[in-house]
Amino acid sequence: MTTIEILWVDDEINHLKPHILFLEKKNYKVTPCTNGADALDLIEEQNFDIIFLDENMPGLSGLETLSEIKNRNATIPVIMITKSEEEYLMEEAIGSKIADYLIKPVNPSQILLSLKKNLDHSRLVNERATINYQQEFRQIALDLASVNSYDTWIDLYKKLIHWELELENVDNPGLLEILRDQKQEANSVFFKFIKKNYQDWFYEMDAPVLSHQLFSKVILPEIEKQKTLVLVVDNLRYDQYFMIEKNIQNHYKKLSETPFFSILPTATHYARNAIFSGMTPLEMSKHHKEFWKNENDEGGKNTHEEDFLKSQLKRLRKELSFSYHKIVNQKTGRELLQNFNQIKHNDFNVVVYNFVDILSHAKTDTKVIKELAANDKAFRSLTETWFLNSTMLELIQKAQKENIQLIITTDHGTINCNKHTQVIGTKSIASNLRYKTGRSLTYQEKDVYAVHNPNSIFLPQEHLNSSFIFAKENLFFVYPNNQNHYTHYYKDTYQHGGVSLEEMIIPCVTFTPKN
């Protein structure tokens, strides 16, 4: 066991011998020092794990010594010990990044507690997280064996995300592997649940909120209460949302959270158009032929979201002022911020942010992004870094100052695909890697949710014999010709359009501005 090296700096160090003996019995090694100048020499000669520093010493004061210590080694934790409780001293010490402070006279238990808090904190947190997950493991397994409703699936998925975030910094690869296996099993069971229940959700009262119902059931009631900024972050998974939520809460307080289900295919063309139109893809293809485009139609398939939203408001007989903006780069984001005063008086403003979607697609085509977003943990971290430096955060801050309510949601999630399944079809079938639609599709039955009558799940049917297939879990489709090349090219890339917890269960969260 490695001995912890402590430097204790106090001009009355002889009075602290009982404390030093107490610590040495606990297997700590203490180097005593009576002044700041000698302390600075010692830290040049030796490596200390932590420093106890008296605030009131002749010669170099405690604060002066602290400043010099931090100049030499900014990472070493320093615990300030002081007789004074004057506020300015504490502010100055804390501003200099002390790890902790104690008020004299200190007792051995206080010293020991401070040591454990600062040196053993990470280990204790890791041990507690490990123990808690081990206790929870059996309950998750039992839940997986009995889950039979959409709301219990939401709870279970969020529980798995919680443990993924808790354990990602724990130095226990075996435990993380167990959790990944549980997520894989959960997606396998979820796939069977969707195959059995998805079609019924369009006809039953006891069903989750789906994409085409989100605006009328969740967003509109909030808009009618207060001026609202609605942010739609394309392709935002629940775990990525949690990474940005903690930063949003610096400016806003969470009022409500409504997890909902993306419709199939979990792709922008279908899911986001459904949110803005308030219609299923089948209904859009019938009632908005001027806006809707089928798979093989030329042109952008999400260029009429504002038109869809206008039409939905008209159909709902709601006369509300609003603006619509799509942010695809820093330039368009800056332009929106500059024009914010012109739109802030609207009943609501909708802003679509495409960065996360762009990032997920870039992982397929760009080697640098493949390295930066090598796994879900890295992908989450990139999402948080983007958000902290984005115009989206600046827009949220502006809205908060204007006392504007905030809603954050998405159209679908994404999943890291690392296994392939073969599909055969004509050249006209959809190019998406997670779903296919067309005639004469040949596929592995066990790997897909096949819908031979697309109208039954409210999807348009381009041709009489057209069907849809959706890949399960983390699979992606490849064709037999040049299969090895495409398997290697698309392995470990983020895709969407299929059936998985990550793609289908997504957040819609309402916040109220903090004063």
Side-chain angles (χ1 to χ4, degrees):
M1 182 177 174
T2 305
T3 302
I4 299 297
E5 297 269 358
I6 302 169
L7 174 62
W8 198 326
V9 190
D10 194 308
D11 62 310
E12 297 177 334
I13 198 71
N14 290 333
H15 297 164
L16 299 169
K17 279 188 177 177
H19 297 69
I20 293 172
L21 289 171
F22 171 80
L23 290 174
E24 287 176 342
K25 285 180 181 178
K26 298 286 185 182
N27 294 318
Y28 293 96
K29 183 180 178 183
V30 182
T31 299
C33 180
T34 59
N35 62 80
D38 288 348
L40 296 175
D41 290 338
L42 283 166
I43 66 169
E44 294 287 349
E45 297 166 7
Q46 287 180 245
N47 291 320
F48 294 100
D49 297 293
I50 195 164
I51 298 171
F52 287 113
L53 180 61
D54 183 27
E55 178 268 320
N56 186 22
M57 294 187 297
L60 279 179
S61 71
L63 289 174
E64 290 169 335
T65 306
L66 173 64
S67 178
E68 287 299 319
I69 289 170
K70 289 297 179 180
N71 286 338
R72 287 164 167 77
N73 186 341
T75 60
I76 189 168
V78 179
I79 297 171
M80 183 72 79
I81 300 177
T82 176
K83 290 179 180 176
S84 173
E85 296 185 59
E86 289 190 42
E87 189 175 349
Y88 84 93
L89 281 173
M90 290 302 97
E91 287 180 354
E92 197 168 342
I94 291 166
S96 300
K97 299 182 180 177
I98 58 169
D100 198 0
Y101 72 90
L102 301 173
I103 306 296
K104 286 186 176 182
V106 293
N107 62 55
S109 297
Q110 284 178 290
I111 295 291
L112 192 60
L113 182 61
S114 189
L115 282 170
K116 286 190 173 293
K117 185 168 68 174
N118 287 284
L119 294 177
D120 291 353
H121 179 262
S122 296
R123 179 183 61 79
L124 293 172
V125 168
N126 289 349
E127 286 179 359
R128 176 50 54 192
T130 299
I131 292 167
N132 288 346
Y133 174 66
Q134 288 170 340
Q135 293 171 344
E136 188 83 353
F137 172 82
R138 178 169 171 75
Q139 186 57 51
I140 291 173
L142 291 171
D143 290 344
L144 275 173
S146 60
V147 62
N148 60 2
S149 66
Y150 70 84
D151 49 357
T152 48
W153 267 115
I154 290 170
D155 291 341
L156 181 56
Y157 176 48
K158 290 177 72 174
K159 186 182 291 185
L160 287 167
I161 294 172
H162 166 78
W163 284 112
E164 188 171 23
L165 298 178
E166 282 284 305
L167 297 177
E168 69 180 11
N169 295 314
V170 171
D171 186 18
N172 191 332
L175 207 60
L176 274 172
E177 193 61 38
I178 291 170
L179 176 63
R180 290 190 190 103
D181 288 345
Q182 276 202 319
K183 279 188 72 179
Q184 184 68 32
E185 182 187 357
N187 261 322
S188 178
V189 179
F190 180 72
F191 173 71
K192 295 171 186 174
F193 174 80
I194 290 296
K195 283 183 73 172
K196 181 180 178 182
N197 294 282
Y198 181 72
Q199 180 176 319
D200 294 338
W201 287 347
F202 291 91
Y203 307 94
E204 294 178 347
M205 293 294 291
D206 184 21
V209 174
L210 299 175
S211 302
H212 61 290
Q213 302 162 328
L214 181 69
F215 185 82
S216 61
K217 286 190 172 183
V218 181
I219 297 176
L220 182 60
E222 296 297 335
I223 288 172
E224 291 185 305
K225 295 176 190 174
Q226 186 179 342
K227 285 184 172 61
T228 304
L229 173 64
V230 181
L231 302 182
V232 182
V233 185
D234 187 8
N235 212 355
L236 187 74
R237 276 200 324 231
Y238 232 119
D239 59 332
Q240 292 170 299
Y241 162 74
F242 284 136
M243 298 302 288
I244 67 173
E245 180 189 69
K246 58 190 178 186
N247 298 298
I248 294 168
Q249 289 182 327
N250 293 327
H251 312 283
Y252 277 84
K253 179 182 177 182
K254 184 160 74 172
L255 280 182
S256 62
E257 182 176 335
T258 306
F260 71 104
F261 279 69
S262 169
I263 60 167
L264 294 172
T266 48
T268 307
H269 174 201
Y270 296 89
R272 201 162 78 208
N273 277 333
I275 290 172
F276 286 116
S277 68
M279 292 181 169
T280 64
L282 177 61
E283 292 166 334
M284 284 184 273
S285 69
K286 288 181 177 179
H287 301 294
H288 287 296
K289 293 180 181 178
E290 72 278 27
F291 303 145
W292 176 260
K293 291 185 183 293
N294 286 312
E295 286 290 336
N296 294 312
D297 294 340
E298 293 184 1
K301 294 179 171 59
N302 281 85
T303 57
H304 292 286
E305 290 169 351
E306 184 176 4
D307 298 314
F308 276 132
L309 184 53
K310 285 178 182 176
S311 177
Q312 180 173 187
L313 288 170
K314 185 177 180 181
R315 191 171 67 252
L316 295 171
R317 297 180 181 178
K318 301 295 181 181
E319 294 186 5
L320 298 168
S321 59
F322 80 96
S323 69
Y324 168 89
H325 312 267
K326 186 180 290 186
I327 307 302
V328 295
N329 52 40
Q330 278 280 338
K331 182 175 180 291
T332 51
R334 288 276 155 226
E335 289 171 354
L336 175 59
L337 290 172
Q338 290 166 7
N339 296 324
F340 181 74
N341 286 338
Q342 298 173 24
I343 65 170
K344 67 182 182 182
H345 300 296
N346 288 333
D347 293 314
F348 71 104
N349 297 291
V350 176
V351 186
V352 175
Y353 280 89
N354 272 30
F355 177 81
V356 179
D357 185 59
I358 292 168
L359 181 62
S360 67
H361 289 299
K363 189 185 176 186
T364 304
D365 304 317
T366 309
K367 286 184 179 180
V368 173
I369 300 299
K370 274 191 175 183
E371 291 293 327
L372 291 174
N375 51 42
D376 285 349
K377 178 183 176 182
F379 196 27
R380 285 191 291 270
S381 180
L382 273 180
T383 305
E384 183 180 23
T385 300
W386 161 74
F387 176 74
L388 290 173
N389 296 279
S390 69
T391 56
M392 178 173 157
L393 178 56
E394 291 183 57
L395 184 62
I396 287 171
Q397 291 166 338
K398 277 182 174 286
Q400 183 237 339
K401 289 175 183 176
E402 297 292 338
N403 200 37
I404 295 172
Q405 184 175 239
L406 175 66
I407 294 178
I408 293 185
T409 190
T410 184
D411 46 5
H412 55 78
T414 187
I415 188 166
N416 195 357
C417 295
N418 55 33
K419 296 178 183 175
H420 71 273
T421 183
Q422 197 175 95
V423 64
I424 302 172
T426 64
K427 289 183 179 179
S428 63
I429 68 173
S431 60
N432 188 285
L433 295 181
R434 291 280 290 160
Y435 75 91
K436 300 290 181 186
T437 180
R439 292 177 288 190
S440 305
L441 296 172
T442 304
Y443 46 85
Q444 299 290 321
E445 287 277 357
K446 64 182 177 57
D447 291 340
V448 306
Y449 171 29
V451 181
H452 300 293
N453 175 18
N455 290 177
S456 68
I457 58 169
F458 288 83
L459 291 176
Q461 191 169 18
E462 275 197 83
H463 306 287
L464 184 62
N465 296 321
S466 290
S467 59
F468 274 82
I469 58 171
F470 308 98
K472 72 175 184 178
E473 301 166 27
N474 59 354
L475 299 178
F476 61 94
F477 290 119
V478 295
Y479 301 115
N481 53 320
N482 215 359
Q483 177 177 311
N484 289 338
H485 167 74
Y486 287 108
T487 298
H488 177 74
Y489 186 76
Y490 289 113
K491 189 174 186 294
D492 288 324
T493 62
Y494 286 98
Q495 305 293 337
H496 53 84
V499 178
S500 70
L501 291 160
E502 290 89 338
E503 292 162 289
M504 292 192 74
I505 300 179
I506 46 180
C508 182
V509 187
T510 303
F511 297 86
T512 188
K514 289 184 176 179
N515 293 328

